[in-house]
């Protein structure tokens, strides 16, 4: 009894100690005064307005609407009306001169004053963060300065050519400096267009060819260097295009009114040669935007070739393309380890050789030489894995082949046409072999389609050659000869297929037999005598049976 009483007392003491510990913890929590936030309860309105993170991200990615007011009135409106303003100033000066309101000195002075005001106002607009308007005003000042200088020199004879040239160079330099300072392609483009148009806005009865060519060339080079340095694509392409347009307009207009035809024909293309040389220089030197330089260099070669063809003498054209071939072959060899550079060099080699062949090789041999060139270019392109030059090589070869098939009719067995056809067939077989070697993954397709095309070519050549051989024979004998040749080709194809286990050749041979049969039934039968018709059908039937037996024997 006493033991149980003792245990009960110990339990009571333990409970009392636990109660005291719990009370102490409660006091600590109460002293810390925690703020318990109730859980938010979403209402229907909140649920509707709540967006997920994905939706929020999508919302931020939405493109802002175009501010057409800004585009039209702040960007394009000043660009258009600065040219309107300049033309208005020109016409105003001309009208004032006709009515006797001002003399040449006053007009030139006003021209420089207006240009200076445009520069000052443009700079002020730039400082006040109105860049779009400032660019246009600054860009308009530069061509107006050049225009005033040209008028002062050409129209009014107030200064000599040397001072006029120096002043125009100074205005161009100002335009370049402003473009570089503000890094504005718009400003540079306006200055460039104004500079190109200046000579055409000046009326002169005796235009100086050499001053014009020198001015346009220098203008182009300055803006080309600026475009490359600041990576201005619009000026890079625009300056190249504008030079060609300016020279073309000058060439057409001056050729009619100028007696010095020699100077126009032999010197008008010089700026284009210089242009191509500098484009080549930047392509070799620059490491940025290499694709841009490559495309421009290729286009420049085509345009330069057109200019040379149009203006140079016969010997001059041949010499130009010969030097061009030598230069690009050298560049290709020097940079053949550079995948990008060798690509355009190889392409330009092919183009230059093609133009040289078209100009220097006798017309009777042109097709043969072009076919050989196309095959050689195709092989080099396959070897160096150059898709651009490969496409050009295929185009040269296919175009020449189509011209041969469509236009070259064999009149005599031993003729240039026969040689062209033999070279065509030989190069086609070599081309198939090259393609087969370099494109192992497509061997079946190459054999299938290549064999069909080769069969059509051989059939066409054999028919034309046979008709040339039997010319003068009776009509029925000519038809008989053609049918015999077709049967012979079928037999040759089947034999090749059986010996080399080349199934496509066997199928082609059988197809030729069937084609010969159809030709005899629907085309030749009314014109062939009964005896010859019987012999042909017997021969054709016998060959067909032998071929069938051969297939059966092989199987």
């Amino acid at each position: 009894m006493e033991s149980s009483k003792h245990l009960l007392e110990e339990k009571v003491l333990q409970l009392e100690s636990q109660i005291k510990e719990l009370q102490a913890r409660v006091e600590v929590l109460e002293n810390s005064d925690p703020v318990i936030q109730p859980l938010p309860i979403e209402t229907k309105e909140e649920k509707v307005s709540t967006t997920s993170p994905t939706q929020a991200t999508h919302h931020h990615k939405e493109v802002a609407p175009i501010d057409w007011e800004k585009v039209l009135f702040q960007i394009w409106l000043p660009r258009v009306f600065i040219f309107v303003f300049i033309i208005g100033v020109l016409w105003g000066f001309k009208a004032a001169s006709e009515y006797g309101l001002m003399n040449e000195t006053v007009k030139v002075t006003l021209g420089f004053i207006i240009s200076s005001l445009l520069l000052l106002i443009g700079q002020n607009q730039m400082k006040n963060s109105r860049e779009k308007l400032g660019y246009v005003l600054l860009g308009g000042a530069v061509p107006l300065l050049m225009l005033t200088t040209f008028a002062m020199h050409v129209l009014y004879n107030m200064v000599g050519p040397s001072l006029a040239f120096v002043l125009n160079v100074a205005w161009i330099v100002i335009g370049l400096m402003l473009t570089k300072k503000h890094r504005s392609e718009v400003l540079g483009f306006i200055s460039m267009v104004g500079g190109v148009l200046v000579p055409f806005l000046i009326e002169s009865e005796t235009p100086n060819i050499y001053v014009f060519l020198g001015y346009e060339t220098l203008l182009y080079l300055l803006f080309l260097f600026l475009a490359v340095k600041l990576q201005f694509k619009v000026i890079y392409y625009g300056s190249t295009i504008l030079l060609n347009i300016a020279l073309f307009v000058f060439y057409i207009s001056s050729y009619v009114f100028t007696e010095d035809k020699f100077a126009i024909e032999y010197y008008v293309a010089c700026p284009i040669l210089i242009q191509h040389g500098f484009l080549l220089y930047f392509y070799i030197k620059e490491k940025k935007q290499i694709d841009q330089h490559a495309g421009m260099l290729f286009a420049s070669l085509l345009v330069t070739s057109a200019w040379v063809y149009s203006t140079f003498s016969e010997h001059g054209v041949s010499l130009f393309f010969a030097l061009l071939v030598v230069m690009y072959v050298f560049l290709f060899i020097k940079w053949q380890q550079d995948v990008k550079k060798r690509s355009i060099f190889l392409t330009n080699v092919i183009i230059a050789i093609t133009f040289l062949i078209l100009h220097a090789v006798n017309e009777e041999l042109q097709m043969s030489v072009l076919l050989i060139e196309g095959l050689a270019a195709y092989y080099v392109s396959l070897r160096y894995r150059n898709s651009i030059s490969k496409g050009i090589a295929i185009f040269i070869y296919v175009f020449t082949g189509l011209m041969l098939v469509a236009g070259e009719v064999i009149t005599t067995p031993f003729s240039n046409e026969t040689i062209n056809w033999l070279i065509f067939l030989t190069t086609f077989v070599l081309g198939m072999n090259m393609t087969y070697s370099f494109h192992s993954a497509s061997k079946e397709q190459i054999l299938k389609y290549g064999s069909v095309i080769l069969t059509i070519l051989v059939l066409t050549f054999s028919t034309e050659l046979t008709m040339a051989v039997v010319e003068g024979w009776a009509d029925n004998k000519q038809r008989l000869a053609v049918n015999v040749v077709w049967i012979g080709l079928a037999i040759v194809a089947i034999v090749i297929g059986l010996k080399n286990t080349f199934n496509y050749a066997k199928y082609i041979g059988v197809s030729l037999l069937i084609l010969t049969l159809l030709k005899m039934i629907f085309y030749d039968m009314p014109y062939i005598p009964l005896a010859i018709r019987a012999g042909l059908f017997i021969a054709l039937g016998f060959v067909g049976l032998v071929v069938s037996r051969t297939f059966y024997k092989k199987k």
Side-chain angles (χ1 to χ4, degrees):
M1 189 72 178
E2 289 181 359
S3 61
S4 60
K5 184 180 179 181
H6 180 70
L7 291 173
L8 182 60
E9 289 177 351
E10 287 181 354
K11 291 287 186 182
V12 172
L13 292 174
Q14 289 178 0
L15 289 172
E16 288 177 352
S17 63
Q18 291 178 357
I19 290 171
K20 290 179 180 179
E21 184 178 352
L22 289 173
Q23 288 177 347
R25 291 185 179 181
V26 170
E27 290 177 356
V28 171
L29 291 173
E30 289 177 350
N31 292 331
S32 62
D33 194 19
V35 179
I36 300 175
Q37 298 290 342
L39 292 174
I41 301 175
E42 290 184 350
T43 63
K44 291 184 179 180
E45 291 79 4
E46 290 173 340
K47 289 182 179 179
V48 172
S49 62
T50 303
T51 56
S52 64
T54 306
Q55 292 172 335
T57 304
H58 178 73
H59 178 72
H60 286 299
K61 287 184 178 180
E62 290 182 358
V63 180
I66 299 175
D67 188 352
W68 289 106
E69 181 177 343
K70 179 179 180 181
V71 172
L72 294 176
F73 299 136
Q74 295 185 19
I75 298 178
W76 284 106
L77 195 66
R79 295 180 185 179
V80 172
F81 283 96
I82 189 64
F83 287 105
V84 175
F85 176 78
I86 293 174
I87 295 173
V89 170
L90 291 175
W91 288 347
F93 284 167
K94 186 175 181 181
S97 179
E98 290 178 354
Y99 289 107
L101 299 178
M102 61 178 67
N103 56 26
E104 288 83 358
T105 304
V106 174
K107 286 189 287 187
V108 170
T109 304
L110 283 177
F112 285 120
I113 291 174
I114 294 174
S115 302
S116 302
L117 288 175
L118 287 176
L119 286 174
L120 292 174
I121 297 172
Q123 285 292 106
N124 185 54
Q125 298 300 314
M126 296 294 293
K127 292 179 180 179
N128 294 326
S129 300
R130 291 188 284 270
E131 290 85 1
K132 305 299 181 183
L133 180 59
Y135 291 150
V136 174
L137 294 176
L138 293 175
V142 174
L144 192 56
L145 285 169
M146 292 187 286
L147 184 62
T148 304
T149 304
F150 259 78
M152 182 172 57
H153 162 57
V154 179
L155 295 181
Y156 309 139
N157 295 318
M158 298 175 64
V159 295
S162 300
L163 180 57
F165 181 77
V166 171
L167 287 175
N168 276 295
V169 171
W171 310 144
I172 296 172
V173 171
I174 289 176
L176 291 171
M177 292 174 60
L178 291 173
T179 303
K180 183 179 179 181
K181 176 182 178 181
H182 299 291
R183 302 189 70 87
S184 169
E185 190 168 15
V186 174
L187 176 58
F189 184 78
I190 293 174
S191 302
M192 177 184 67
V193 174
V196 171
L197 292 178
V198 161
F200 301 99
L201 296 175
I202 300 299
E203 295 181 1
S204 176
E205 296 180 357
T206 57
N208 191 313
I209 297 173
Y210 307 104
V211 172
F212 174 83
L213 296 179
Y215 167 80
E216 293 290 350
T217 304
L218 179 61
L219 182 71
Y220 165 74
L221 292 178
L222 289 172
F223 280 97
L224 176 65
F225 275 86
L226 178 71
V228 172
K229 183 176 182 180
L230 300 180
Q231 297 182 12
F232 286 163
K233 287 186 177 181
V234 175
I235 295 179
Y236 180 78
Y237 292 114
S239 60
T240 305
I241 295 172
L242 284 174
L243 177 62
N244 284 273
I245 294 175
L247 292 175
F248 179 76
V249 173
F250 178 79
Y251 176 72
I252 297 299
S253 59
S254 298
Y255 197 84
V256 177
F257 299 105
T258 305
E259 296 181 359
D260 192 1
K261 309 293 185 184
F262 177 84
I264 296 175
E265 291 180 349
Y266 284 88
Y267 294 112
V268 73
C270 289
I272 305 299
L273 297 177
I274 296 172
Q275 179 187 78
H276 187 73
F278 275 93
L279 289 174
L280 175 60
Y281 166 76
F282 283 119
Y283 178 69
I284 295 174
K285 180 183 177 182
E286 293 294 319
K287 296 181 180 179
K288 297 179 180 179
Q289 299 177 335
I290 189 70
D291 294 333
Q292 170 183 310
H293 294 296
M296 182 60 78
L297 183 63
F298 174 72
S300 173
L301 177 64
L302 299 178
V303 174
T304 304
S305 301
W307 275 101
V308 170
Y309 259 111
S310 303
T311 58
F312 279 26
S313 65
E314 293 291 324
H315 296 293
V317 173
S318 300
L319 179 62
F320 168 76
F321 284 116
L323 294 175
L324 202 65
V325 170
V326 173
M327 179 184 71
Y328 275 112
V329 168
F330 169 77
L331 292 173
F332 173 72
I333 295 173
K334 183 176 178 62
W335 271 278
Q336 63 177 320
Q337 301 302 324
D338 190 324
V339 177
K340 290 189 175 181
K341 283 189 170 55
R342 80 183 182 197
S343 173
I344 194 65
F345 290 151
L346 177 59
T347 302
N348 285 2
V349 166
I350 296 172
I351 296 296
I353 292 176
T354 302
F355 284 136
L356 181 62
I357 293 171
L358 290 173
H359 184 78
V361 177
N362 190 299
E363 291 185 2
E364 296 179 349
L365 300 175
Q366 271 186 6
M367 286 193 173
S368 296
V369 178
L370 285 173
L371 289 170
I372 295 173
E373 184 229 352
L375 180 67
Y378 181 66
Y379 171 75
V380 177
S381 302
L382 288 174
R383 181 180 176 184
Y384 288 97
R385 299 179 180 179
N386 188 344
S387 57
I388 299 176
S389 60
K390 183 173 71 173
I392 293 175
I394 292 174
F395 174 79
I396 294 171
Y397 186 85
V398 171
F399 184 79
T400 306
L402 290 175
M403 294 295 294
L404 176 63
V405 173
E408 290 286 305
V409 179
I410 300 177
T411 55
T412 57
F414 303 99
S415 61
N416 290 323
E417 291 82 5
T418 305
I419 295 174
N420 289 338
W421 266 103
L422 291 174
I423 291 177
F424 185 29
L425 295 175
T426 303
T427 53
F428 187 85
V429 173
L430 293 175
M432 279 185 59
N433 185 49
M434 291 176 189
T435 309
Y436 188 87
S437 302
F438 283 94
H439 298 281
S440 58
S442 306
K443 288 184 177 180
E444 287 296 322
Q445 301 296 325
I446 295 169
L447 290 175
K448 181 191 300 184
Y449 296 110
S451 300
V452 172
I453 296 174
L454 180 62
T455 301
I456 295 172
L457 295 177
V458 171
L459 197 63
T460 304
F461 168 67
S462 302
T463 303
E464 289 194 11
L465 183 62
T466 303
M467 292 300 294
V469 172
V470 300
E471 185 179 7
W473 293 13
D475 181 70
N476 57 0
K477 292 182 180 180
Q478 290 181 355
R479 294 173 182 273
L480 174 63
V482 172
N483 288 328
V484 170
V485 170
W486 283 27
I487 294 172
L489 290 176
I491 294 173
V492 171
I494 293 170
V495 170
I496 292 174
L498 292 174
K499 285 189 176 183
N500 299 324
T501 63
F502 183 31
N503 290 329
Y504 292 117
K506 292 186 289 185
Y507 300 150
I508 288 172
V510 174
S511 300
L512 285 176
L513 288 177
I514 296 174
L515 182 64
T516 305
L517 177 62
L518 295 174
K519 176 178 177 294
M520 290 168 57
I521 295 173
F522 295 104
Y523 184 70
D524 296 330
M525 191 175 293
Y527 305 96
I528 299 178
L530 182 62
I532 297 177
R533 191 189 313 166
L536 277 175
F537 271 75
I538 291 172
L540 185 60
F542 177 76
V543 171
L545 292 173
V546 171
V547 170
S548 177
R549 174 61 180 167
T550 305
F551 273 98
Y552 178 79
K553 182 178 179 181
K554 285 290 180 183
K555 286 190 176 183

